[in-house]
Amino acid sequence: MWGHLSEKQYHVFKLKNVHIYCDAQSVEVSGHAISLTRLEYRFLVYMVENKNRAISREELLNEIWQIEQPIETRATDDTVKRLHKKLRAAHAQIEIETIRGFGFIIKKNRA
């Protein structure tokens, strides 16, 4: 039974120099941990899981905040602003790009 422990697959998202460790719910940029709130972490994971498509604000409100009816809120924009700041400060090679009037998409920096 203990022998199988080393075979366990840990779910890790790797995108450029950003590593998201799902089992530990932690994020590292270039090997250094960055501090994210639970909401910021969930938002980042969802964006990375869907990195090849633009995601609407409505979808994010539904998936992250569990708000199903359309409402006017700045929750997504405020979360992105905080996340931008933390990723930039850590020199992450990804960023969350705003698609005006729609939502967001993950963008890989060239660095």
Side-chain angles (χ1 to χ4, degrees):
M1 185 166 159
W2 290 101
H4 295 285
L5 194 59
S6 62
E7 297 172 13
K8 183 177 180 183
Q9 293 291 320
Y10 293 99
H11 197 180
V12 179
F13 290 112
K14 297 178 184 178
L15 193 59
K16 296 290 242 171
N17 67 337
V18 178
H19 294 177
I20 301 171
Y21 300 95
C22 295
D23 291 339
Q25 293 195 358
S26 65
V27 178
E28 291 183 359
V29 177
S30 298
H32 301 285
I34 62 170
S35 178
L36 299 180
T37 66
R38 187 171 170 212
L39 186 63
E40 291 165 346
Y41 171 81
R42 288 177 54 208
F43 187 96
L44 182 61
V45 167
Y46 193 80
M47 293 299 299
V48 170
E49 285 176 329
N50 294 280
K51 67 181 179 277
N52 295 319
R53 68 182 185 92
I55 302 169
S56 70
R57 283 176 175 82
E58 291 77 21
E59 180 179 342
L60 288 164
L61 286 170
N62 186 21
E63 295 295 324
I64 306 300
W65 284 268
Q66 273 74 51
I67 298 173
E68 294 183 18
Q69 67 270 23
I71 61 169
E72 182 62 36
T73 179
R74 299 276 307 159
T76 54
D77 298 272
D78 293 341
T79 301
V80 167
K81 186 185 292 185
R82 289 190 311 272
L83 206 44
H84 267 294
K85 188 175 181 179
K86 290 178 180 185
L87 291 172
R88 197 172 303 127
H91 305 289
Q93 294 173 343
I94 65 168
E95 65 180 84
I96 299 168
E97 182 178 291
T98 300
I99 300 172
R100 191 176 184 131
F102 180 74
F104 308 93
I105 192 166
I106 288 281
K107 180 180 172 187
K108 297 179 205 172
N109 296 336
R110 292 187 181 144

